[in-house]
Every structure is written in C-alpha cells, then in structure tokens.
Amino acid sequence: MTITVVGSIAYDAVETPFGVRERMLGGAATHFALAASVLHDVRLVGPVGDDFGDADLAVLQTRGSNIDDVERVAGGKTFFWKGKYGWDLNTRETLDTQLNVFEHFAPKLSQASRDCDVLFLANIQPGLQLQVREQCAQAQFVALDSMNLWIDIARDELLEIIGRVDCLMLNDEELRQLTGKPNLISAAHDILGWGPTVVVAKQGEYGSSLITKDDFFALPAYPLHEVIDPTGAGDTFAGGFVGFIASQIGGGVTTPVLRNAMAYGTAIASFNVEQFGTEGVVDVDVAAVRQRVDDLYAFAHFEPIDVALRA
Ligand code: AMP
C-alpha cells in the first residue's frame, strides 16, 4: 500500500521578509513526500541533475520514502525556481523557472511505483502527468495539482488529465481562471462535471475549501503568530490531505475521511511555513500533527444555541 508522487524535485532561491535562501531543497514532490510520509508510505518519481547532493537525497528518504525512481541524470541540472514574497507573504512573484532535467523527462515507473493505491500528480507539465496516469492504471484515488502557467500554455492537455483524476487541488484564482467563472463554488461545480469527484481550493492564509457534489467544508489555516516562508505550503497541504486519504483507503473515500484529510493537510502545512524550505516538516512527528488537528477541531467546533430571534 503506497502513494506514488511525481513532480518537481528542485533547488529553490527564496526571499521573504524574514530572510533569503540562495539554494535550498524544494520542489512540489519533495514537499508533498515529506508531508505524506508522516501518515503513509511514499514513493517519489522524478529526475534530478548530477548537481543534486547526497544530503538532499537523504532528506527525500525521510520516514522511509522510497527514491528508487528518482533518476540522477548525468550532465543534467536540477529543476530551479526563484521567488520573492511581499511583506504580508500573501503575494509571490516568480523570478525564474528553469525546467532543466524536466525538459526531456520521460517518466518510466518501476512496477512498485505503478502498483500504488494512491497517486499524486504534483505540479508539472500536464503531458508528463498524463504519461504517469497511464502507467498507474489501477490507482484507487488520484489527485492532481497544477498552476496558472499550464492553464495558459498547455490547456488542452491539462483538461485531458483533469478528466482522468478523482481530485483536483488548485488555488482559488486558478480555479476561476481554468473555468472562466468568477464564482468559486460555481467554478468547482463545473469541474465536478468534468470527471473529478473532489475539488479542493487552496486559499493561502485563509485556508482551504473542499467541494464535492454533496458537501462543502472549509477550514482556516492554523493560526500561527509567525510565518517565515510559505514556499511549498500548497504541496505540504496536499501531502497531508492525500496521505490521510491513503491511510484510510480501505474504508473508502467518504465525506468524514475527506473532512479529516483537510485537517491533516492544514496541520502539516502549518509546520512547513514556520521555517524555510523543508526544515519545518523534516522532523515533525505524528503526535505533533495530531495535536494541531485537535486544536483545529476545537477552533472550528461550535454548538448552535437555541435562542429566540426576532420574527
Ligand atoms: P507552492 O508554494 O506549494 O506553490 O510550491 C512551491 C514549490 O513548487 C517550490 O519548491 C518550487 O520548486 C516548485 N515549483 C515552482 N514552480 C514550478 C513549476 N512551474 N513546475 C513545478 N514545480 C514548481
């Protein structure tokens, strides 16, 4: 029983109001795997260059994640991304994206990675996501992330892969851009007509919303007094969300499982943003995550009181 994740394994250069990092381990698949491995077994798929350090390979293997399908491309350079955050950390500008080894990547999964129960197609070219989807034909739950870049330049392939997954996870402005609908609920319901049964709208510091045919559920982000670096928060959320679903897959992807998955995603993402890069999640343990899940439940819970209201 494993989760297979394919997506970027990267070096990131990041500037936030709290500091600068010129080159730190990042990437969508990296952040996802670190989070999901708190809850379930993970296999990573993706290329790195021969500039990728052994210490970083060791980080990818945190909590036993399997890296047999992480290919070190001789003479290649690891994917590179550079971004800068505004003073309230809500705005982010991408300053550079170098696909490098992803430009000529043709995913060939080992049988063990193909045999996954749960597949996460992290943000990467939709054409590559399609190739991986085809190789993992029997996965019981497949979730997909993407971004505005691919909506702009690879829309047809993106629509094709969306039609072949169970869950689409996007930022809310990307859901609006993808559907051309200004209303988020209406945009999500359009997507529920394209194939997925679950849509998750990621809303940064405001949390996230879950939309299915029969349910709507929203959770705020975990209330932290200090956020240092939001890079990878979306992928870390996805790791907690998908990791929890994978851990419960035997009982089916029910509404209570999805709602709890939202809480696990939110809790693990809160550890990610407290430190730069992968530093916040690498050492996290399940008890610390569980504590924040319990806190979220307490914050969100209320009893309707029976009071007289004006007629
Ligand atoms: P998030 O903050 O969750 O949106 O994820 C940020 C991570 O995504 C960084 O670690 C980057 O390395 C990675 N990333 C940024 N742009 C891309 C892209 N175009 N394709 C794949 N991964 C990317």
Side-chain angles (χ1 to χ4, degrees), residues 28-96:
T30 305
H31 287 293
F32 175 92
L34 280 173
S37 63
V38 174
L39 300 163
H40 206 70
D41 289 342
V42 178
R43 300 184 68 92
L44 280 113
V45 179
V48 296
D50 53 14
D51 57 343
F52 199 77
D54 287 340
D56 292 324
L57 272 182
V59 174
L60 298 183
Q61 295 175 82
T62 299
R63 290 177 281 274
S65 289
N66 183 290
I67 59 163
D68 290 354
D69 287 351
V70 174
E71 182 193 346
R72 214 191 271 225
V73 180
K77 262 182 79 182
T78 301
F79 180 100
F80 178 77
W81 176 79
K82 181 173 183 175
K84 184 177 173 181
Y85 290 83
W87 75 279
D88 66 356
L89 297 172
N90 267 332
T91 52
R92 173 168 87 186
E93 194 186 349
T94 289
L95 301 174
D96 196 6

Side-chain angles (χ1 to χ4, degrees), residues 238-262:
F241 179 82
V242 173
F244 185 79
I245 290 171
S247 74
Q248 305 301 314
I249 195 82
V253 185
T254 60
T255 295
V257 166
L258 287 168
R259 286 183 168 215
N260 276 270
M262 291 278 287

